Amino acid sequence: MIKEAIGFGSSIDEAKEDALLRLGARDDEDVQFEVITMPKAKILGIFGGSKAEVKAFVERPDKPAKKNKNNSKKADNAKPAKKEKQTKAEPKKEKTAPKAKEQPAVELVDQSLIEAGTPTGKAIAYLNAILKSLGCENIAIKAAVRENGALITLDGEGLGVVIGHRGETLDALQHLVSLAANNSGGYFKVTLNIGDYREKREQTLVSLAGRVAEQVVKTSRNRALEPMSAYERRIIHTAVQEIDGVNSASVGEGKNRRVVIFPEGGTPSMPRRDGGRRRNDRGRKPSNTVASAPAREPKRDSDIPLYGKIN
């Protein structure tokens, strides 16, 4: 069975992200993309323009057929054993923050066993050139080849420069390696990981989504997270879908695109910020009106100088 969904965005990457959310795809699924419409910029930033339109589709196994009623009559006739009555009500289970999904085990092989002419081989060759430029030596590179994709892992010392601030350098390098693997056309997804950094980062993001969602439920106010990559925003969206009472959406453009978590039934608008004005003791904002000058007594004749004003 093939499931498909169409996403929209100001760029191809944003449209892919929207399509993945609509499709509800998992990280281990082999998702294919088809660009329907390229984005068009507005004339003078005002007139015309159109969003990118991308279709994502994935093949999933068919649901098992229902059992025949005639074959299950005997099983239905068997009366189940009576359950003993419970004297005390069972305590309700408290909801906990969603946990990061466990990734399926993959078989990694050394880079020497990967053919050079394959997309994975091209990606590894490009990656080795970048690591050499960064001065990273004696790095063990392994890969697990999948259908229309590959997982490449790095292990060694001095790889902090490759991860960068909150994985930004790693994401950028993953994008470049994917381009190198797809230079012959088609779509070949490359995932780049260093040790278990991706897993730890995912656990951090899932925990963050749970904490922020709890605050949104308590205060009924929108909360905006820091700008993130499309990969990290997708982790947040997936975690929020498992929490009752809240929704999430991506707002902003380019590097400033971020996730806003808002109460269910609300709108994904950016939360208002205080203008920085101080409040008085009663909690009210200071008035913008200027207080009038105190009343003065009228001048008397004796107050006027005899010879007028002297310069």
Side-chain angles (χ1 to χ4, degrees), residues 275-300:
R277 305 183 206 174
R278 295 183 178 178
R279 299 177 181 267
N280 54 23
D281 294 338
R282 296 183 180 180
R284 293 177 295 181
K285 292 182 180 179
S287 174
N288 292 329
T289 58
V290 180
S292 59
R296 296 179 181 178
E297 296 181 1
K299 290 186 177 182
R300 295 171 294 181

Side-chain angles (χ1 to χ4, degrees), residues 83-94:
K83 295 183 180 179
E84 296 180 358
K85 294 183 179 180
Q86 296 179 352
T87 56
K88 296 182 180 180
E90 295 181 357
K92 295 182 179 179
K93 295 182 180 180
E94 296 182 357

Side-chain angles (χ1 to χ4, degrees), residues 298-305:
K299 290 186 177 182
R300 295 171 294 181
D301 293 342
S302 59
D303 297 334
I304 302 175

Side-chain angles (χ1 to χ4, degrees), residues 53-100:
E53 184 177 356
V54 175
K55 180 170 69 173
F57 51 92
V58 62
E59 185 175 357
R60 293 173 178 168
D62 296 335
K63 295 182 179 180
K66 295 182 178 180
K67 295 182 180 180
N68 190 354
K69 293 182 179 180
N70 295 329
N71 296 334
S72 59
K73 281 184 178 181
K74 294 182 180 180
D76 294 340
N77 292 334
K79 295 182 179 181
K82 293 183 179 181
K83 295 183 180 179
E84 296 180 358
K85 294 183 179 180
Q86 296 179 352
T87 56
K88 296 182 180 180
E90 295 181 357
K92 295 182 179 179
K93 295 182 180 180
E94 296 182 357
K95 292 184 178 180
T96 57
K99 297 181 180 179

Side-chain angles (χ1 to χ4, degrees), residues 27-272:
D27 293 338
D28 58 336
E29 287 186 311
D30 182 23
V31 182
Q32 303 294 321
F33 295 97
E34 178 183 349
V35 178
I36 301 176
T37 305
M38 296 293 293
K40 294 182 180 179
K42 294 183 179 180
I43 301 175
L44 300 178
I46 302 175
F47 306 102
S50 61
K51 292 187 176 182
E53 184 177 356
V54 175
K55 180 170 69 173
F57 51 92
V58 62
E59 185 175 357
R60 293 173 178 168
D62 296 335
K63 295 182 179 180
K66 295 182 178 180
K67 295 182 180 180
N68 190 354
K69 293 182 179 180
N70 295 329
N71 296 334
S72 59
K73 281 184 178 181
K74 294 182 180 180
D76 294 340
N77 292 334
K79 295 182 179 181
K82 293 183 179 181
K83 295 183 180 179
E84 296 180 358
K85 294 183 179 180
Q86 296 179 352
T87 56
K88 296 182 180 180
E90 295 181 357
K92 295 182 179 179
K93 295 182 180 180
E94 296 182 357
K95 292 184 178 180
T96 57
K99 297 181 180 179
K101 295 181 179 179
E102 296 182 358
Q103 299 295 334
V106 292
E107 184 179 357
L108 296 168
V109 298
D110 189 75
Q111 60 175 331
S112 59
L113 301 177
I114 303 297
E115 296 182 9
T118 61
T120 306
K122 295 177 182 179
I124 292 177
Y126 182 85
L127 181 60
N128 277 316
I130 295 294
L131 292 176
K132 185 178 180 180
S133 311
L134 295 174
C136 298
E137 300 178 353
N138 301 323
I139 304 300
I141 300 179
K142 294 183 179 181
V145 182
R146 305 168 177 170
E147 185 178 0
N148 295 325
L151 169 65
I152 301 176
T153 63
L154 307 179
D155 190 13
E157 297 181 358
L159 291 175
V161 65
V162 179
I163 296 177
H165 179 62
R166 292 176 181 168
E168 293 178 355
T169 306
L170 182 62
D171 291 337
L173 183 58
Q174 177 176 283
H175 178 68
L176 294 175
V177 171
S178 297
L179 293 178
N182 288 278
N183 63 355
S184 300
Y187 178 77
F188 190 80
K189 181 180 179 181
V190 176
T191 302
L192 193 61
N193 196 7
I194 296 178
D196 56 352
Y197 173 79
R198 295 286 189 190
E199 291 77 8
K200 289 182 178 179
R201 181 62 175 164
E202 181 178 354
Q203 292 175 0
T204 301
L205 293 174
V206 170
S207 178
L208 173 65
R211 294 197 307 270
V212 175
E214 184 178 357
Q215 295 174 4
V216 171
V217 172
K218 288 182 178 180
T219 62
S220 298
R221 293 183 179 180
N222 294 10
R223 289 290 306 273
L225 305 182
E226 62 186 9
M228 298 178 183
S229 63
Y231 170 77
E232 294 188 341
R233 292 196 304 269
R234 184 182 172 193
I235 294 174
I236 296 291
H237 289 310
T238 304
V240 172
Q241 287 177 357
E242 300 180 3
I243 304 175
D244 295 334
V246 290
N247 287 326
S248 63
S250 295
V251 299
E253 302 292 338
K255 294 182 179 180
N256 293 324
R257 193 162 177 80
R258 64 186 70 204
V259 175
V260 172
I261 301 177
F262 56 97
E264 190 172 358
T267 56
S269 57
M270 288 288 293
R272 296 180 181 179

